Amino acid sequence: MMLVILLMLMPSVSAADTEGHLDIYFIDVEGGACTLLVSPSGESLIIDSGYPDNNDRDLNRILHVVRDVAGLEQIDHAAVTHWHLDHYGNHAALSTKIRINNFWDRGIPDVLSEDAQFVNRVSNYRSASQNASNSLKAGDSLPVKSGKTSYGVRILTGSREVIPNTGQPNPYADLHEPQPKDTTDNAASLSFLLTFGEFRFLCCGDLTWNIEAKLMTPNNPIGQVDMFMVTHHGLATSNNPVLVRAIDPRVAVMCNGPTKGGTEGVIRTLRKCESLEALYQLHRNVKLEPELQTPASFIANSGPTQGCQGVWVKASVAPGGREYTVQIGPEGKPRHYLSR
Ligand SMILES: [Zn+2]
């Protein structure tokens, strides 16, 4: 009886409950990258699109999540972090299956030194975007719509440039050990800082070591984040501790493949983060001992690529951005985290 009275006295629905969640899907593209964000208004942003070919393996996985899981009928914004095939592999093919309203990239270079086929390969992307993709540079923001909870997407790096090095001194700046200059397009990756109320999510594409340090030394212009998409599939040429330790994520999600990324050194760097509560891996690194990676219950796919079901990881951020859940696949039990 008491309970009934208490329930009757409670306001039926609080204002915040009427607003939807921000959902982030980390789609398994076997060591490429594809991240789909859907804001409470239903506005969608897809960052990267996995590998082409392989009988449309990645294309079909992406379409499944976009249409069947997220229930979208169009993609509002499709971004490319940089010009490697595991990142822009399906943008053109996707656009033949579902409407894409805006294309975003770092600008299309005339040539790409590491890819002799680039001009051919990018021609499909040019046609798909009707040669009218929008270029982004460090300091830009995407024109996304806020609801009751403020929502923003800011670009921190692009084409080897970084936002101004303002902010507090980075206490980990001395950990930087310069590496030989990276002449590939990885170093030119766009980095995205997404904010949803108090929640902050960082995704840096395949940004590499020296540009990470350029962004993060001597000051930390980003501050700390709640969720970090581990850079470059967890490869050791990225994830400089000057960045990873300073942003000190509470949850990290690594888009590695069974034999690509997910490296021991990067996992050790992540484990040194004071606030890290959970590391999710899209794949078990089949070459690494179990104790050197995250516990099996935090790994979405444990077998090799052949026969892989492509299980996704989803984060769902509550209105206001003060808390969020992370689950593995449709049957996964959501784990609960508080924003910092
Ligand atoms: Zn990559």
Side-chain angles (χ1 to χ4, degrees):
M1 189 59 186
M2 256 325 255
L3 182 66
V4 173
I5 293 167
L6 275 173
L7 283 172
M8 286 170 66
L9 290 173
M10 279 164 66
S12 53
V13 189
S14 75
D17 290 339
T18 60
E19 192 184 23
H21 285 58
L22 170 81
D23 292 332
I24 308 175
Y25 299 90
F26 300 90
I27 302 172
D28 176 31
V29 286
E30 303 291 328
C34 182
T35 312
L36 172 68
L37 303 109
V38 186
S39 78
S41 71
E43 187 176 24
S44 52
L45 162 64
I46 197 162
I47 303 175
D48 294 334
S49 62
Y51 288 98
D53 309 323
N54 303 303
N55 295 315
D56 291 337
R57 176 197 69 203
D58 295 356
L59 176 64
N60 289 333
R61 288 181 185 179
I62 296 165
L63 282 169
H64 168 65
V65 174
V66 167
R67 286 176 175 154
D68 307 334
V69 185
L72 299 171
E73 288 168 3
Q74 61 173 21
I75 293 171
D76 296 295
H77 306 284
V80 174
T81 57
H82 65 294
W83 298 111
H84 287 164
L85 270 183
D86 57 325
H87 293 259
Y88 76 101
N90 286 299
H91 275 65
L94 258 180
S95 74
T96 67
K97 305 281 186 188
I98 190 164
R99 183 180 165 79
I100 297 177
N101 291 325
N102 302 284
F103 288 81
W104 303 91
D105 54 54
R106 70 168 197 82
I108 305 175
D110 294 331
V111 290
L112 200 66
S113 59
E114 66 266 37
D115 182 0
Q117 300 296 315
F118 177 69
V119 174
N120 271 339
R121 285 176 167 149
V122 87
S123 66
N124 290 336
Y125 176 87
R126 284 187 192 276
S127 326
S129 59
Q130 299 178 333
N131 231 357
S133 66
N134 305 283
S135 6
L136 291 165
K137 59 181 191 310
D140 287 348
S141 292
L142 284 184
V144 294
K145 293 184 277 291
S146 276
K148 275 202 192 75
T149 301
S150 68
Y151 175 46
V153 182
R154 185 170 173 229
I155 306 301
L156 306 182
T157 73
S159 303
R160 296 177 165 75
E161 296 300 327
V162 302
I163 57 168
N165 188 249
T166 54
Q168 298 292 313
N170 179 351
Y172 303 99
D174 290 347
L175 294 177
H176 178 51
E177 294 175 21
Q179 287 191 359
K181 185 176 181 198
D182 175 11
T183 59
T184 73
D185 216 52
N186 290 330
S189 288
L190 292 172
S191 298
F192 295 80
L193 178 66
L194 175 145
T195 53
F196 181 68
E198 293 177 24
F199 176 84
R200 310 179 86 226
F201 167 62
L202 180 65
C203 165
C204 300
D206 286 356
L207 193 72
T208 43
W209 201 264
N210 293 350
I211 308 293
E212 293 176 310
K214 185 178 175 183
L215 173 67
M216 297 299 289
T217 55
N219 300 311
N220 173 357
I222 307 178
Q224 297 174 327
V225 307
D226 298 291
M227 179 171 278
F228 174 49
M229 178 169 148
V230 181
T231 304
H232 202 180
H233 324 287
L235 282 159
T237 48
S238 301
N239 302 293
N240 189 329
V242 300
L243 185 150
V244 177
R245 299 283 298 278
I247 61 168
D248 193 31
R250 185 157 279 173
V251 174
V253 181
M254 187 152 59
C255 300
N256 62 314
T259 58
K260 178 180 171 187
T263 56
E264 182 179 345
V266 172
I267 292 173
R268 286 192 195 283
T269 299
L270 286 163
R271 284 178 176 169
K272 285 184 187 145
C273 290
E274 279 176 35
S275 301
L276 192 80
E277 286 181 20
L279 165 64
Y280 290 81
Q281 293 177 208
L282 278 186
H283 271 271
R284 180 172 70 90
N285 178 341
V286 297
K287 294 177 184 164
L288 202 61
E289 295 301 317
E291 62 273 17
L292 296 175
Q293 37 197 324
T294 204
S297 61
F298 290 78
I299 296 178
N301 301 282
S302 59
T305 288
Q306 196 177 17
C308 180
Q309 296 298 302
V311 175
W312 40 260
V313 170
K314 175 186 178 184
S316 191
V317 188
R322 282 178 288 279
E323 55 187 325
Y324 53 105
T325 58
V326 181
Q327 76 181 75
I328 295 177
E331 313 294 330
K333 185 174 178 296
R335 296 185 179 96
H336 186 251
Y337 303 95
L338 292 176
S339 296
R340 36 188 324 146

